[in-house]
């Protein structure tokens, strides 16, 4: 008789992130809209993008699609670890300008950072102790639970530590770090990341660094990559993405870096890189060749300006919305160097209270911080990856309350 995967079963409890979104958040918004049909809803819950793909990248995509339609230029399966030109462009145009020297063999192209982070945990044993930031982007936890890892500790992120946790007090094996952070909007300084790198090197632990929002960093003192920290190639894997900076959330493209220098217990240099290559070849036959041509264009000199305009657009969205929220009397974190605003409710308010307050007063929908972990209680996450018009209208409504 066929049985279900018990690890998957435990993700089907009634208080998971997905379940709370579907059965509580969306239902509350729908009910509110039915009772208030004249009220406009400003959906700022999702981390999805709205700004179109840069025109020069679209040209490259059209060209690549056209080539697929001709016998002489048609291409089928590519290398499963990614088009070599794309991997070279990631090394030379993304990492090199930051003083980071990586080889194309250390880059693994994926259909986005989501699959990248999921795939990485396959490198590690089920008995490893995993450290996660709390609050956390849920897929890191879910990927480990699904694999059957239950030895998990949480590193608290709150307004007192600026949403950058202290290094673990005991020995952990794998540490997930996400900076700029989703959901808290926090960023980590060089010194803070160095403390984690030093910790990981001394315990032979591995850091999985999610740098999906790196392009939002405008402060030159904040590292965009963990590899800006000396020694990080010995202890860190990094994931990157084209989703937020080039509008690829639907097109799908990202990468993981598994450096040759990275070693853990009983492995030698290069062994983990090779292990990841093998696991990727089993799991994944390569990203779409069309998306990869788009990625090459994104990283080209000509497209840098247009991609920067996308980031600037979202950062300006964040500035506009934050102004309204603060005028309304709310304390806000993030929204600079990061497209997320982490709103703190007034003393004694739960995350769902803040959610209801903004929905019922201004039609603004965020995600209650408690859904990202217990340290998120009392906060609400707002995404500014939406349209400018919505940010302006929502901010204006909030300011209207302040003027009363
Ligand atoms: N990591 C973080 C922190 C994210 O917020 C997201 C998407 O919102 C992802 C990874 C997934 O990105 P991708 O679209 O590249 O799969």
């Amino acid at each position: 008789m066929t049985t279900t995967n018990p690890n998957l079963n435990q993700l089907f409890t009634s208080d998971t992130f997905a379940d709370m979104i579907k059965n509580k958040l969306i239902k509350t918004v729908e009910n509110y809209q039915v009772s208030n049909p004249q009220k406009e809803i400003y959906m700022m819950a999702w981390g999805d993008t709205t700004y179109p793909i840069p025109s020069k990248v679209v040209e490259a995509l059209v060209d690549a699609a056209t080539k697929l339609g001709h016998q002489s230029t048609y291409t089928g399966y590519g290398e499963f670890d990614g088009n070599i030109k794309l991997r070279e462009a990631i090394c030379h145009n993304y990492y090199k300008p930051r003083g980071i020297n990586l080889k194309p063999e250390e880059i693994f192209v994926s259909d986005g950072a989501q699959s990248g982070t999921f795939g990485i945990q396959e490198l590690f044993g089920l008995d490893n102790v995993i450290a996660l930031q709390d609050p956390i982007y849920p897929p890191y936890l879910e990927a480990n639970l699904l694999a059957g890892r239950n030895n998990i500790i949480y590193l608290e992120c709150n307004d007192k530590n600026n949403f950058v946790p202290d290094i673990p007090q005991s020995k952990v094996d794998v540490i997930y770090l996400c900076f700029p952070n989703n959901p808290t909007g926090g960023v980590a300084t060089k010194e803070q990341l160095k403390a984690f790198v030093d910790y990981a090197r001394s315990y032979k632990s591995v850091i999985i660094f999610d740098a999906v929002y790196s392009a939002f960093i405008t402060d030159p003192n904040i590292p965009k990559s963990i590899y800006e920290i000396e020694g990080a190639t010995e202890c860190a894997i990094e994931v990157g993405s084209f989703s937020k900076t080039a509008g690829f959330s639907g097109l799908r493209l990202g990468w993981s870096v598994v450096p040759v220098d990275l070693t853990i217990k009983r492995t030698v240099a290069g062994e983990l890189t090779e292990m990841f290559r093998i696991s990727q070849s089993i799991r994944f036959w390569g990203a779409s060749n069309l998306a990869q041509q788009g990625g090459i264009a994104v990283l080209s000199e000509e497209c840098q300006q247009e991609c920067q305009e996308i980031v600037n657009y979202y950062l300006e969205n964040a500035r506009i919305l934050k102004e309204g929220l603060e005028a309304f009397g709310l304390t806000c974190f993030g929204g600079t160097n990061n497209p997320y605003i982490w709103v703190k409710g007034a003393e004694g308010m739960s995350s769902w209270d803040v959610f209801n307050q903004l929905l019922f007063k201004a039609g603004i929908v965020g995600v209650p911080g408690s859904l990202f972990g217990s340290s998120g209680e009392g906060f609400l996450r707002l995404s500014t990856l939406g349209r400018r018009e919505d940010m302006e209208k929502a901010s204006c409504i909030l300011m209207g309350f302040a003027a009363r």
Side-chain angles (χ1 to χ4, degrees):
M1 191 175 63
T2 312
T3 59
T4 54
N5 177 347
N7 300 332
L8 193 53
N9 277 345
Q10 66 176 323
L11 294 174
F12 276 87
T13 56
S14 60
D15 58 352
T16 55
F17 185 80
D19 191 78
M20 292 295 268
I21 295 283
K22 196 165 124 227
N23 291 324
K24 191 162 176 188
L25 190 153
I26 292 176
K27 283 219 169 94
T28 308
V29 176
E30 281 172 358
N31 291 342
Y32 174 77
Q33 186 75 99
V34 169
S35 331
N36 300 274
Q38 77 292 354
K39 282 266 175 85
E40 207 161 331
I41 299 286
Y42 303 103
M43 181 49 83
M44 298 183 190
W46 319 136
D48 200 4
T49 49
T50 52
Y51 199 97
I53 293 176
S55 59
K56 291 201 174 74
V57 179
V58 172
E59 277 170 32
L61 290 169
V62 170
D63 182 51
T66 307
K67 285 188 172 134
L68 290 177
H70 294 283
Q71 182 84 75
S72 59
T73 46
Y74 171 80
T75 48
Y77 293 128
E79 292 149 273
F80 61 80
D81 40 7
N83 181 318
I84 184 65
K85 287 210 167 64
L86 176 58
R87 288 185 284 136
E88 280 169 359
I90 291 169
C91 292
H92 298 136
N93 304 354
Y94 181 84
Y95 285 111
K96 194 96 197 257
R98 298 181 176 122
I100 299 162
N101 290 310
L102 291 168
K103 297 186 204 71
E105 306 86 85
E106 297 171 295
I107 311 287
F108 296 87
V109 174
S110 63
D111 60 351
Q114 185 84 352
S115 343
T117 33
F118 186 85
I120 287 162
Q121 53 78 30
E122 287 172 345
L123 279 174
F124 307 112
L126 297 184
D127 54 348
N128 280 307
V129 180
I130 311 293
L132 302 175
Q133 284 170 269
D134 174 21
I136 193 201
Y137 175 62
Y140 312 145
L141 170 63
E142 291 160 353
N144 280 288
L145 292 177
L146 186 55
R149 274 184 215 94
N150 291 305
N151 214 343
I152 290 164
I153 68 148
Y154 290 93
L155 307 174
E156 193 177 332
C157 303
N158 52 44
D159 42 354
K160 287 176 201 71
N161 61 21
N162 250 334
F163 306 99
V164 181
D166 294 332
I167 55 167
Q169 294 307 303
S170 53
K171 182 188 177 311
V172 300
D173 302 303
V174 179
I175 309 166
Y176 283 76
L177 291 178
C178 172
F179 289 110
N181 188 263
N182 174 13
T184 67
V187 287
T189 63
K190 220 167 211 164
E191 292 68 35
Q192 287 165 326
L193 289 183
K194 183 177 180 314
F196 276 94
V197 167
D198 290 348
Y199 171 94
R201 288 172 81 191
S202 69
Y203 283 107
K204 277 267 169 231
S205 314
V206 173
I207 296 170
I208 299 176
F209 192 75
D210 186 334
V212 161
Y213 297 99
S214 63
F216 290 84
I217 295 175
T218 52
D219 181 340
N221 297 315
I222 307 283
K224 293 190 174 186
S225 162
I226 188 102
Y227 303 126
E228 289 178 47
I229 312 300
E230 202 191 327
T233 50
E234 292 168 25
C235 65
I237 290 173
E238 179 164 294
V239 288
S241 172
F242 291 83
S243 286
K244 316 286 168 163
T245 44
F248 275 40
S249 55
L251 195 54
R252 312 299 301 137
L253 196 66
W255 72 89
S256 306
V257 183
V258 184
V260 165
D261 293 346
L262 176 73
T263 54
I264 53 173
K265 212 164 140 185
R266 289 195 280 277
T267 64
V268 295
E271 207 173 334
L272 281 169
T273 314
E274 181 57 16
M275 280 178 160
F276 192 69
R277 214 178 66 78
I278 292 167
S279 78
Q280 169 132 327
S281 73
I282 296 166
R283 172 169 27 85
F284 184 65
W285 260 108
S288 140
N289 47 15
L290 201 57
Q292 293 193 78
Q293 288 302 329
I296 293 168
V298 168
L299 291 168
S300 69
E301 184 91 40
E302 311 82 78
C303 291
Q304 290 308 295
Q305 178 63 28
E306 271 191 293
C307 289
Q308 191 55 49
E309 279 163 21
I310 298 181
V311 170
N312 294 347
Y313 174 87
Y314 293 134
L315 287 174
E316 177 63 6
N317 276 357
R319 191 197 63 74
I320 292 166
L321 186 64
K322 203 167 167 180
E323 204 171 65
L325 292 162
E326 285 175 343
F328 185 76
L330 289 164
T331 305
C332 297
F333 300 92
T336 49
N337 300 302
N338 196 314
Y340 293 105
I341 301 177
W342 191 235
V343 181
K344 187 177 184 178
E347 193 62 37
M349 283 176 89
S350 72
S351 289
W352 283 103
D353 292 339
V354 193
F355 172 86
N356 287 333
Q357 181 188 32
L358 282 182
L359 173 63
F360 300 154
K361 292 221 158 168
I364 295 173
V365 181
V367 179
S370 53
L371 300 194
F372 298 99
S374 57
S375 299
E377 186 55 271
F379 290 87
L380 183 84
R381 187 197 75 175
L382 293 175
S383 162
T384 63
L385 296 167
R387 292 185 321 216
R388 173 68 48 81
E389 195 191 327
D390 285 353
M391 304 295 148
E392 284 172 346
K393 283 200 214 158
S395 187
C396 201
I397 293 170
L398 292 165
M399 289 204 185
F401 281 102
R404 279 180 203 167

